[in-house]
Amino acid sequence: MTDNRSGDRSSRRGENGRSIPTDRESPVGAPVIRGDESVAGTHAREAVQFDPEDPESLADAAEIVRQFAGGATNDDHLYMLRGAAACAALVRGEGSYKAAAERAGGEATVSFIRKWARVHDLPRSVRKQVAIGQIAPTAAKHIARVGGEARLLLAWATLDGDLTVRDVRSVASMINDGDSIEHALADHGVTLGELSLTLSPTTYRDLRRRASVDDVDPGRIVTEALEQYFE
């Protein structure tokens, strides 16, 4: 099976016509998050870039994948992202998940490489939350199983709904079985789009006053204001 996924730059247009990236937009193997000092601190200087077209870099990727599959992570989120990058680069360089698994050897299976390569394919906004420890890498594996806009919605619901890894796995499975993300999240006690915000006293006062005068829910005013902001 030839892998084309890591080269995709999929997106979906929202209701207002904006293009919403649902996959990574940077080159495969590029340490965009791992090389960001605001996220990785001094470790950013040690970030490794894997080039699928460079034999030496591909050999390094194979070794990292072998170690990664063997459990050498120390529960380090950045190390896991490096492992995911190595998986994605190895798949691209070898041409298939099967060939990548054979090249890496050890405990690196096709399933293992596929799951982590998909994590590397997640958009930057989600990978950043993995890097800073807000989304567990194991939860990211299940988020990555979901396609299109639902993967972004599931990522943010994971944060706002305080979902466990088991919850995320279950929701992802329900979505892939044909359920809507709204129904899948509701089944786990989470309302899609529900977010707790802290406003300044002045903004809070004015929001409540306008909502009362206009006889609308405050959320509607916030939604309309943010839609204009994001245009």
Side-chain angles (χ1 to χ4, degrees):
M1 176 180 63
T2 301
D3 172 71
N4 294 315
R5 179 179 176 81
S6 56
D8 292 341
R9 299 292 176 266
S10 61
S11 65
R12 176 174 177 176
R13 291 192 176 277
E15 294 179 357
N16 59 4
R18 294 194 311 274
S19 179
I20 304 169
T22 59
D23 227 328
R24 73 178 285 123
E25 298 180 300
S26 48
V28 172
V32 177
I33 297 298
R34 292 176 290 120
D36 185 344
E37 289 193 5
S38 68
V39 175
T42 57
H43 292 292
R45 304 167 192 169
E46 304 167 6
V48 178
Q49 176 166 340
F50 300 104
D51 184 352
E53 299 180 1
D54 181 343
E56 291 187 6
S57 182
L58 205 59
D60 289 340
E63 178 60 29
I64 291 296
V65 172
R66 185 182 305 112
Q67 295 175 4
F68 185 35
T73 65
N74 295 321
D75 291 327
D76 186 312
H77 293 180
L78 289 173
Y79 187 94
M80 290 183 178
L81 286 179
R82 182 175 71 165
C87 286
L90 192 59
V91 170
R92 175 60 65 84
E94 294 296 326
S96 72
Y97 294 118
K98 181 179 180 181
E102 292 174 348
R103 173 71 183 273
E107 298 180 44
T109 64
V110 169
S111 177
F112 178 89
I113 292 176
R114 180 188 295 115
K115 289 176 181 178
W116 285 104
R118 286 175 175 173
V119 169
H120 185 66
D121 281 343
L122 287 169
R124 179 177 182 176
S125 57
V126 178
R127 286 181 286 119
K128 180 176 181 179
Q129 296 304 309
V130 175
I132 63 178
Q134 293 300 305
I135 294 178
T138 46
K141 285 195 300 181
H142 297 298
I143 292 171
R145 290 166 47 206
V146 177
E149 187 179 26
R151 64 167 40 181
L152 287 172
L153 295 175
L154 178 53
W156 309 139
T158 297
L159 294 175
D160 299 324
D162 197 25
L163 295 176
T164 66
V165 173
R166 179 175 294 183
D167 291 336
V168 176
R169 179 179 62 186
S170 177
V171 171
S173 294
M174 291 176 69
I175 293 171
N176 286 334
D177 285 341
D179 273 329
S180 68
I181 185 169
E182 291 89 349
H183 178 269
L185 287 172
D187 197 57
H188 288 75
V190 176
T191 300
L192 182 62
E194 188 171 81
L195 174 66
S196 176
L197 295 174
T198 300
L199 306 175
S200 70
T202 300
T203 301
Y204 175 71
R205 177 201 65 200
D206 292 344
L207 173 62
R208 277 297 187 183
R209 180 184 61 81
R210 176 59 62 85
S212 178
V213 170
D214 293 349
D215 195 24
V216 298
D217 186 90
R220 177 178 172 182
I221 296 176
V222 173
T223 296
E224 292 177 350
L226 287 175
E227 286 176 346
Q228 292 181 22
Y229 176 83
F230 289 128
E231 284 183 353

